[in-house]
Amino acid sequence: MTSTRKNILIFTITGVVLALLFLLSYFTGRITMNDEYTSGNTPGNLNNGGFFCESDGRVYFANAYDNNCLYSMNPDETDMQKLSNSSVSSINAAGKYLYFSMTSGSGKSGGDGLGYMMQTSGIYRSNLKGKSVVNLERCHIVSMQLCGNYLYYEKYDNSAGTSLEKIRIDKKDKQTIANEIINPNCYVNGKIYYQGTAKDHYLHALDVSTDKDSVVWQGNIWNPIVQDGYVYYMDVSENYRLCRYSLSGGVVEVLTNERIDMFNVYRNYIYYQVSSADTPALKRMMTDGSSQELIMEGVFQNINITSNYVYFNGFNESVPVYKTSTFGPVNVVTFEAAKQAAFDNLS
């Protein structure tokens, strides 16, 4: 073989290899997009910090026994795995990815897992194992929801205040939607439902296809959760009692006259914290207001719900984390599996 032919062969092979490497990089680095109606977590969980998120038979959660580091497990709490050395909240999951707010890191450098992130706050995307971590924006967020292929999030800045932002999951097309407080957690059928705060407490809907806002109902509401044609909300004008409003019939139903601090709706149950100087308690009832029963006396927060369990903790007390069956009889115990997993990861 002549020298010229050898050079041509070498150039040809090199070109083919480079082309293959380019294609491999392109397809492995390409982000798989979602259906436009995909949401990352339930509104109720996100309104309660987004510390638990269930997706495709797996629960992703911030382990309070391990500085709120990201863990995953089966819904029955088996096969528990630690995914990060960073504190997380506002956990969203869909398809091949996790999205979350990170509030601190391990201080390590190098590597591609969450355990190697430098200390910084922001929005991150990873695969379902907590690897291939990408920072989408360094900022402080109040809340965040995955709406199709965009993350909508409340961003807080010391000088500029709070704004609603969005960014595509591939880190493109970042935009400011509104320079006001808009909670994006309740995303249903292409619309974000939220209470107005700048001018009113009406029920608003933000169409994510156009980012145009409209007033749905002139109620006086707080923390709306839309499910099965109803809006569940705290009635500001009546001492924050819990009500629901029919989107089709326009009828308001009072579910309890007790003042509440927070609530979560999951299928046919509502879990809610009663605000009382004498008898504060976590309770539950059916979504029509029937079968009200006591879960536990005291002041609790962070009511997060999965298909198997309801998790919560004492006010201003990260641990112990309590749980009870979501649909079964009330039986409050502590989240021992998470405590043991945290201990195992320290040893």
Side-chain angles (χ1 to χ4, degrees):
M1 183 180 293
T2 66
S3 175
T4 301
R5 289 184 176 179
K6 284 183 180 180
N7 289 336
I8 292 173
L9 181 60
I10 291 171
F11 285 134
T12 301
I13 293 173
T14 301
V16 171
V17 170
L18 290 174
L20 290 174
L21 289 174
F22 174 80
L23 290 172
L24 179 63
S25 175
Y26 175 77
F27 284 109
T28 56
R30 208 164 117 193
I31 301 303
T32 304
M33 293 295 170
N34 303 311
D35 178 270
E36 63 178 319
Y37 294 139
T38 299
S39 60
N41 201 343
T42 64
N45 281 356
L46 293 173
N47 282 344
N48 284 271
F51 296 112
F52 286 76
C53 176
E54 186 168 354
S55 178
D56 293 332
R58 196 74 178 165
V59 174
Y60 304 92
F61 70 100
N63 190 344
Y65 293 97
D66 191 4
N67 196 36
N68 277 345
C69 290
L70 183 63
Y71 279 65
S72 71
M73 63 180 177
N74 292 326
D76 63 0
E77 299 180 354
T78 59
D79 188 30
M80 193 167 292
Q81 299 175 18
K82 183 174 182 176
L83 304 184
S84 84
N85 289 317
S86 305
S87 300
V88 301
S89 61
S90 295
I91 303 170
N92 284 251
K96 298 180 179 180
Y97 308 105
L98 302 176
Y99 311 88
F100 48 87
S101 168
M102 191 176 77
T103 52
S104 67
S106 66
K108 299 178 181 179
S109 60
D112 69 344
L114 288 178
Y116 293 94
M117 298 303 300
M118 298 297 291
Q119 292 190 8
T120 183
S121 297
I123 301 171
Y124 290 84
R125 185 193 72 227
S126 76
N127 64 23
L128 300 180
K129 297 295 184 181
K131 305 297 183 183
S132 302
V133 183
V134 175
N135 171 253
L136 301 179
E137 184 179 3
R138 287 189 172 89
C139 63
H140 175 73
I141 74 163
V142 180
S143 58
M144 177 176 70
Q145 172 68 281
L146 175 68
C147 306
N149 291 309
Y150 285 84
L151 292 163
Y152 281 74
Y153 55 100
E154 283 183 282
K155 175 181 175 180
Y156 178 76
D157 181 88
N158 287 333
S159 57
T162 303
S163 61
L164 180 67
E165 313 278 333
K166 77 172 185 180
I167 188 169
R168 210 164 67 184
I169 59 174
D170 59 0
K171 203 178 177 179
K172 298 178 181 178
D173 193 23
K174 181 184 178 303
Q175 299 180 41
T176 298
I177 304 304
N179 289 303
E180 61 182 275
I181 298 173
I182 294 178
N183 180 348
N185 291 340
C186 185
Y187 179 62
V188 180
N189 295 330
K191 294 181 179 180
I192 294 172
Y193 293 89
Y194 69 98
Q195 78 274 349
T197 55
K199 299 178 182 178
D200 56 60
H201 285 165
Y202 297 162
L203 177 66
H204 290 248
L206 181 75
D207 189 330
V208 301
S209 65
T210 61
D211 288 330
K212 299 297 184 182
D213 176 84
S214 62
V215 174
V216 178
W217 174 51
Q218 295 183 8
N220 197 355
I221 71 169
W222 196 256
N223 277 0
I225 294 177
V226 176
Q227 178 182 285
D228 298 331
Y230 287 96
V231 182
Y232 298 84
Y233 66 95
M234 298 160 66
D235 188 348
V236 178
S237 60
E238 294 292 339
N239 200 31
Y240 291 89
R241 66 185 181 182
L242 188 61
C243 300
R244 72 175 183 178
Y245 170 79
S246 171
L247 288 171
S248 60
V251 177
V252 172
E253 297 174 71
V254 178
L255 303 179
T256 176
N257 280 304
E258 297 171 297
R259 179 188 173 98
I260 69 168
D261 290 324
M262 62 199 69
F263 71 101
N264 197 340
V265 182
Y266 190 87
R267 298 183 186 174
N268 57 337
Y269 271 106
I270 303 173
Y271 286 78
Y272 59 103
Q273 173 64 39
V274 175
S275 176
S276 169
D278 301 321
T279 57
L282 181 66
K283 295 184 178 182
R284 76 176 180 185
M285 62 181 163
M286 307 301 288
T287 50
D288 63 358
S290 64
S291 304
Q292 297 185 14
E293 57 185 323
L294 174 70
I295 301 295
M296 191 172 181
E297 294 180 345
V299 182
F300 303 99
Q301 63 182 9
N302 301 330
I303 308 166
N304 279 239
I305 307 179
T306 69
S307 57
N308 283 27
Y309 296 106
V310 179
Y311 299 92
F312 56 97
N313 53 272
F315 181 71
N316 282 338
E317 297 176 349
S318 59
V319 292
V321 178
Y322 300 100
K323 68 172 186 175
T324 188
S325 172
T326 301
F327 302 106
V330 173
N331 179 32
V332 178
V333 295
T334 54
F335 190 9
E336 290 300 307
K339 184 178 180 180
Q340 183 61 49
F343 177 79
D344 291 343
N345 280 290
L346 287 175
S347 58

